[in-house]
Amino acid sequence: KLKVPLFEFLPKFLSFLLMKRSSVFKIFISLLFLLSANMFTFAEGKFVVVRSKNFKFVGEASEEKIRREAFRLEQFREALRRAFPELRLDAPFPPTVLIFKDSESFAPFKPVRENGLADRSVSGFFQSSDEANYIALSAAADLKKSSDTMFHEYVHFVIKNNFQTSILPVWLNEGLAEYFQTFHLKNERKAIFGEAQKNHLRLLRQYNPVSLQTLSTIDYESLAQMDSDKKNLFYAQSWAVTHYLMRKNGGLLNARIKNYL
């Protein structure tokens, strides 16, 4: 647990950031406001810092939950390493995982819609710069949902660490994250990726998906402007197309996806 004299620390740290003009300045400013708003609870030790082999977790959740999530993310990383040994998982700035205690405390840091309100449909996000990598999410009551979000956002980090994400189609970036977020251990020696997602299947049966041509032209700016229903359908269709490409003919198209990436 972390206890810091914030009244002494914050002014000095803020001055340092102003001089450095860091590319992650906005992220740190947001975190400073968060810490300021919770200054007394932070000083009492309610913000917990947990360090695992490859990650740092900072959260408002219980220490037990944060340690459990850290252990699960380490398992996920190891499974990816064994399944795809050619992937680069190490980076100069490994991701720091920020866990907010609930959706309400996470809301001020979610992406903002055009009406100025937080996008409530966002359950987590990956934020990257040349100097830092962050995964942010809330500690959902459903532990599996919380872990799925964490795995999803970590896949975005892995993709960024290995491929040209600036030109990668959004449907594939999100489709791969959706595909791998279903990770779980079947036993001590076997991990499962890419299981069917019932909520996506239900949406695809209920609504008509867009054409593949339209799907391929959607960028993050247009995705952010969609309402929740359209956004959920986009994720469902991106998952379905990626799942098809990964599993078609026993996975024979995996090499084509790699070549495309």
Side-chain angles (χ1 to χ4, degrees):
K1 294 184 178 180
L2 186 63
K3 296 183 179 179
V4 204
L6 285 177
F7 288 107
E8 299 177 9
F9 170 73
L10 289 178
K12 295 179 181 179
F13 187 47
L14 183 57
S15 298
F16 166 76
L17 287 175
L18 286 170
M19 289 187 295
K20 185 176 178 59
R21 297 184 183 277
S22 168
S23 60
V24 289
F25 178 73
K26 291 183 179 179
I27 298 174
F28 278 113
I29 289 298
S30 297
L31 289 175
L32 288 176
F33 278 116
L34 170 67
L35 297 181
S36 299
N38 294 275
M39 191 168 292
F40 296 103
T41 57
F42 187 90
E44 293 169 3
K46 292 187 178 180
F47 272 76
V48 178
V49 175
V50 172
R51 294 181 184 273
S52 63
K53 181 179 179 181
N54 296 288
F55 305 103
K56 177 182 178 182
F57 281 71
V58 181
E60 299 176 279
S62 68
E63 184 173 357
E64 178 185 2
K65 176 174 176 54
I66 292 176
R67 289 188 179 279
R68 181 169 55 246
E69 293 301 305
F71 180 67
R72 286 179 60 79
L73 189 55
E74 288 285 358
Q75 288 180 319
F76 184 52
R77 182 186 187 279
E78 179 62 15
L80 287 176
R81 186 187 69 82
R82 296 192 184 195
F84 306 97
E86 69 277 13
L87 287 178
R88 295 191 307 274
L89 300 180
D90 294 324
F93 301 99
T96 295
V97 183
L98 308 171
I99 301 182
F100 295 84
K101 64 181 179 181
D102 52 37
S103 182
E104 290 303 315
S105 62
F106 186 28
F109 302 93
K110 291 184 177 182
V112 177
R113 290 188 179 275
E114 290 183 341
N115 60 9
L117 300 177
D119 187 346
R120 294 284 179 170
S121 66
V122 173
S123 57
F125 61 82
F126 169 64
Q127 178 72 43
S128 177
S129 75
D130 293 336
E131 300 177 22
N133 292 293
Y134 288 96
I135 292 172
L137 65 149
S138 63
D142 182 349
L143 297 181
K144 183 180 184 305
K145 182 178 180 181
S146 180
S147 295
D148 287 354
T149 300
M150 181 174 62
F151 298 154
H152 179 109
E153 303 307 332
Y154 180 66
V155 171
H156 286 316
F157 163 77
V158 174
I159 292 173
K160 176 185 177 296
N161 207 35
N162 286 269
F163 307 109
Q164 298 278 350
T165 53
S166 60
I167 59 174
L168 191 67
V170 175
W171 70 266
L172 184 57
N173 198 345
E174 296 299 336
L176 287 170
E178 289 289 315
Y179 179 88
F180 284 105
Q181 76 172 37
T182 60
F183 160 81
H184 69 273
L185 294 177
K186 187 173 183 179
N187 52 50
E188 293 182 356
R189 299 184 60 84
K190 189 173 184 178
I192 305 296
F193 297 112
E195 288 194 332
Q197 297 196 46
K198 294 180 180 179
N199 57 325
H200 287 339
L201 292 173
R202 183 171 59 253
L203 281 174
L204 292 169
R205 293 189 181 107
Q206 186 176 358
Y207 300 102
N208 292 323
V210 300
S211 68
L212 292 178
Q213 182 178 3
T214 300
L215 184 72
S216 66
T217 61
I218 295 174
D219 57 19
Y220 278 111
E221 183 176 354
S222 57
L223 181 62
Q225 295 173 0
M226 293 181 183
D227 60 34
S228 296
D229 290 339
K230 289 183 178 179
K231 186 179 293 185
N232 290 336
L233 184 60
F234 169 82
Y235 276 92
Q237 189 171 357
S238 298
W239 164 79
V241 175
T242 303
H243 194 283
Y244 170 81
L245 295 174
M246 293 289 286
R247 295 296 187 93
K248 175 69 173 175
N249 296 328
L252 294 179
L253 292 186
N254 270 316
R256 297 186 186 179
I257 290 182
K258 290 177 183 178
N259 288 339
Y260 181 68
L261 289 168

